[in-house]
């Protein structure tokens, strides 16, 4: 009996800046590898709404199935704003720490209510001398979702899992891609062109300027996506191999 093997990725194509030839070569080897699997489940929609060119289905791939948004969050509503800004830090070092230091330096005199989630579970607790600023190393899924919904302005990286969470919550944000990560840089640019999000390079980040830019930019409406498309893929798999 053959055991079905599923490969889950939103990157059917690999973004390579300023090199179409290298991008085609990487896509060739990527496709050669993922064709070995029974199915390739792509957490996006057939019109490539969330991942743009990264999830475009090449005609050589016959085993692709789009399974929609995959988010750990629930579609719940929380009323009231507790924070003026929420800053969600994540990603590899040293860029995570560089962004943290940049932001901390700009918040020393703030009177806004700020929540900073450092993305460092298990680290020693930090307390900012400015009582307006709350610092958490990590939040549970429930606490994180609630904090995101109760924040007026969100600032975070443009990793795909974060984007899927934001889209499920229909929450816009300022996306600051990790420098050198071509996928994040492409996604931030692509989604800002759709006006779902705003983006700013880490090297250019000024929080006051970013806030004004977000408030002065006409935000596009995030569509009502089918958030349970993945269930059909699972049901089809179970029926075909039951």
């Amino acid at each position: 009996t053959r055991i079905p093997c599923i490969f889950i990725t939103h990157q059917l194509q690999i973004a390579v800046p300023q090199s179409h030839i290298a991008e085609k070569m990487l896509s060739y080897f990527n496709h050669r590898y993922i064709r070995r699997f029974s199915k390739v489940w792509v957490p996006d929609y057939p019109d490539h709404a969330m991942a743009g060119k990264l999830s475009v289905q090449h005609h050589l791939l016959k085993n692709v199935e789009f399974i929609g948004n995959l988010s750990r969050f629930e579609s719940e509503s929380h009323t009231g704003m507790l924070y003026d800004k929420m800053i969600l830090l994540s990603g590899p070092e040293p860029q995570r720490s560089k962004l943290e230091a940049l932001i901390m330096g700009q918040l020393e005199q703030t009177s806004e209510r700020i929540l900073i989630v450092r993305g460092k579970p298990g680290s020693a607790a930090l307390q900012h001398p400015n009582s307006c600023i709350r610092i958490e190393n990590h939040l549970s899924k429930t606490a994180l979702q609630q904090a995101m919904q109760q924040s007026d302005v969100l600032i975070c990286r443009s990793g795909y899992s974060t984007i899927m969470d934001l889209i499920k919550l229909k929450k816009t944000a300022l996306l600051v891609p990790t420098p050198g990560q071509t996928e994040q840089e492409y996604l931030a640019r692509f989604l800002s062109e759709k006006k779902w999000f705003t983006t700013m390079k880490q090297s250019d980040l000024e929080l006051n300027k970013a806030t004004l830019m977000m408030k002065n930019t006409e935000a596009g409406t995030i569509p009502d996506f089918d958030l349970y498309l993945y269930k059909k893929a699972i049901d089809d798999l179970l029926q075909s191999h039951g």
Side-chain angles (χ1 to χ4, degrees):
T1 302
R2 289 190 63 190
I3 299 175
C5 296
I6 310 298
F7 188 81
I8 302 177
T9 182
H10 64 283
Q11 294 191 75
L12 298 180
Q13 298 195 51
I14 311 296
V16 179
Q18 302 175 344
S19 179
H20 182 65
I21 295 175
E23 191 169 272
K24 288 187 69 175
M25 287 181 62
L26 275 175
S27 292
Y28 168 78
F29 287 108
N30 188 35
H31 292 175
R32 184 178 176 183
Y33 175 76
I34 63 180
R35 275 200 301 269
R36 302 174 184 176
F37 289 81
S38 309
K39 283 282 187 179
V40 180
W41 285 355
V42 180
D44 200 356
Y45 297 89
D47 57 356
H48 322 297
M50 299 189 300
K53 72 176 184 178
L54 301 182
S55 69
V56 170
Q57 181 179 353
H58 193 276
H59 71 279
L60 295 177
L61 291 171
K62 307 298 184 183
N63 57 344
V64 169
E65 185 171 0
F66 289 91
I67 60 173
N69 190 319
L70 296 183
S71 172
R72 55 190 161 160
F73 292 152
E74 303 297 331
S75 297
E76 300 174 352
S77 60
H78 292 275
T79 57
M81 291 294 165
L82 290 182
Y83 305 104
D84 296 299
K85 288 188 180 74
M86 177 179 178
I87 297 152
L88 190 56
L89 299 170
S90 61
E93 297 291 2
Q95 294 300 337
R96 192 214 63 83
S97 291
K98 287 183 178 180
L99 180 58
E100 180 179 60
L102 176 64
I103 286 171
M104 290 291 195
Q106 296 183 27
L107 290 178
E108 290 182 358
Q109 305 301 321
T110 189
S111 59
E112 293 184 310
R113 298 165 299 171
I114 308 289
L115 171 63
I116 299 174
V117 182
R118 302 179 68 220
K120 295 193 70 176
S123 296
L126 292 182
Q127 188 168 355
H128 200 281
N130 185 336
S131 60
C132 295
I133 299 174
R134 173 189 167 195
I135 300 176
E136 296 286 349
N137 285 323
H138 177 73
L139 290 177
S140 68
K141 181 195 79 169
T142 302
L144 181 63
Q145 173 177 337
Q146 185 169 356
M148 289 171 70
Q149 291 178 302
Q150 294 182 326
S151 298
D152 186 35
V153 173
L154 280 169
I155 299 171
C156 58
R157 294 297 195 190
S158 50
Y160 197 60
S161 59
T162 299
I163 286 169
M164 288 194 290
D165 286 342
L166 291 166
I167 286 175
K168 185 161 188 179
L169 298 179
K170 289 197 169 185
K171 191 79 178 178
T172 191
L174 174 74
L175 302 178
V176 184
T178 302
Q181 289 202 6
T182 56
E183 177 210 355
Q184 287 198 15
E185 291 168 346
Y186 168 75
L187 287 171
R189 185 171 62 253
F190 169 71
L191 293 167
S192 67
E193 289 171 356
K194 294 170 80 77
K195 299 189 182 299
W196 294 358
F197 301 98
T198 309
T199 186
M200 185 176 283
K201 291 182 179 180
Q202 181 171 303
S203 58
D204 298 333
L205 182 60
E206 296 179 26
L207 294 179
N208 292 334
K209 181 180 176 181
T211 302
L212 286 173
M213 185 170 68
M214 290 184 71
K215 292 183 182 297
N216 293 331
T217 300
E218 183 179 351
T221 302
I222 297 174
D224 292 317
F225 289 118
D226 181 353
L227 300 176
Y228 302 100
L229 194 60
Y230 68 92
K231 291 186 176 182
K232 179 182 180 301
I234 294 173
D235 289 341
D236 290 346
L237 178 68
L238 293 176
Q239 288 176 14
S240 61
H241 295 275

